Amino acid sequence: MKITVKEAVQAVQERINSARIRSGRTDAVKLMAVSKFHSIQEIEQAIEAGISLFGENRVQEALLKFPELFAARKGIELHMIGTLQRNKVKSIVPLVSCIQSVDRIQLIEEIIRFCSARQKKVDILLEVHTGEESKSGFLDEEQVMRALDLLTDPASFVIPRGFMTMAPFTNNENDIRLSFKKLYSMQQRARQRFPSMQLDELSMGMSNDFEIAVEEGATLVRVGSAIFGNRE
Ligand SMILES: *Cc1c(COP(=O)(O)O)cnc(C)c1O
């Protein structure tokens, strides 16, 4: 029997909690529902189940669904989590509170340009390539540090909040864990180098690996199919 979105959200939340407790964490872990390929009605079921944070990975799809949802529902928030082209920055920034998939210098420059011109604030996460199979993300730590160098202005409209990664798509738990450990240790070094920034957010973990991510320090997990079922 197919379980409801509400039951699925509760089950995911319980698994997050158990992972937090067994790893001795006392801080909160945010649950994002990744709603790509799912309808407004399904998103509303997730809202009813207590979800307020959503993730979409395509600009066009976000534009089709979220203006309507924002008009109907208070207190919900959307993050961009997919590869973003520079010419789409102007369409997505007005819709999201955070762009998690910032993976190159030219994209940062474009976001800064747009947000300064509009006097519009947006949070960003730097996406880091930590595993073999993933295609996106900054490839090495030096690039990440150079990107952060562009974001040191405290008056800037573009606010760096931390890091995002995708673990390799594999059943090998060790490889997955290693990927999350890499992101965590890079965050520690970035914080030392940029002590004035609040680089607290670690967005890692999806349906297949969010418990490992919580054990390794994720502050935000991005869960799609474990909440909405498989995408068609
Ligand atoms: C689709 C997607 C997710 C969620 O994937 P599931 O395996 O369905 O949980 C998380 N993060 C990103 C960047 C995605 O594109």
Side-chain angles (χ1 to χ4, degrees):
M1 205 182 77
K2 198 166 179 283
I3 64 167
T4 65
V5 167
K6 186 168 188 169
E7 289 165 336
V9 166
Q10 280 166 354
V12 168
Q13 240 139 16
E14 276 164 27
R15 287 167 62 193
I16 291 172
N17 241 341
S18 305
R20 269 181 60 235
I21 289 164
R22 71 172 166 265
S23 52
R25 291 182 58 178
T26 52
D27 57 333
V29 176
K30 284 173 266 186
L31 171 57
M32 162 189 283
V34 176
S35 48
K36 64 185 182 204
F37 300 115
H38 292 286
S39 66
I40 288 177
Q41 289 71 26
E42 289 170 289
I43 295 170
E44 287 186 318
Q45 288 169 21
I47 297 170
E48 297 299 330
I51 298 281
S52 57
L53 176 60
F54 293 90
E56 287 281 342
N57 72 339
R58 291 187 307 181
V59 173
Q60 202 51 39
E61 187 177 347
L63 285 169
L64 281 173
K65 296 189 301 198
F66 276 85
E68 186 174 326
L69 280 158
F70 286 133
R73 300 283 189 158
K74 284 202 170 57
I76 62 168
E77 208 181 315
L78 177 65
H79 290 185
M80 175 67 186
I81 60 171
T83 307
L84 181 60
Q85 287 164 343
R86 273 186 292 171
N87 62 4
K88 301 273 175 66
V89 166
K90 59 180 179 300
S91 315
I92 199 68
V93 166
L95 208 58
V96 298
S97 53
C98 181
I99 302 172
Q100 295 201 359
S101 43
V102 175
D103 60 358
R104 54 202 196 279
I105 299 281
Q106 299 97 306
L107 181 59
I108 294 176
E109 290 169 342
E110 181 60 28
I111 299 169
I112 290 176
R113 194 176 308 127
F114 179 81
C115 289
S116 308
R118 296 294 174 91
Q119 309 236 314
K120 165 86 174 84
K121 281 198 174 181
V122 74
D123 291 344
I124 63 168
L125 304 184
L126 299 184
E127 181 176 354
V128 184
H129 185 276
T130 57
E132 279 314 305
E133 280 133 284
S134 155
K135 290 158 287 175
S136 46
F138 284 100
L139 283 174
D140 61 60
E141 187 160 324
E142 227 10 77
Q143 284 183 23
V144 171
M145 298 299 174
R146 263 194 281 138
L148 289 171
D149 274 330
L150 298 177
L151 297 161
T152 51
D153 176 5
S156 172
F157 288 93
V158 182
I159 304 146
R161 295 291 187 195
F163 304 95
M164 184 267 246
T165 199
M166 276 196 266
F169 188 72
T170 167
N171 288 325
N172 186 329
E173 192 184 309
N174 267 342
D175 289 351
I176 294 171
R177 201 174 284 283
L178 204 66
S179 164
F180 295 150
K181 279 185 191 294
K182 267 192 203 166
L183 194 69
Y184 180 85
S185 63
M186 210 207 60
Q187 177 198 35
Q188 303 308 307
R189 290 187 291 274
R191 278 174 158 168
Q192 286 196 335
R193 186 145 153 191
F194 299 95
S196 66
M197 291 182 182
Q198 255 149 27
L199 301 170
D200 304 324
E201 200 83 280
L202 268 194
S203 170
M204 53 191 201
M206 315 193 346
S207 292
N208 288 327
D209 54 22
F210 67 85
E211 287 156 301
I212 305 172
V214 170
E215 289 168 7
E216 298 303 331
T219 60
L220 187 159
V221 294
R222 309 180 307 271
V223 178
S225 44
I227 289 177
F228 294 112
N230 289 325
R231 295 177 287 272
E232 268 120 56

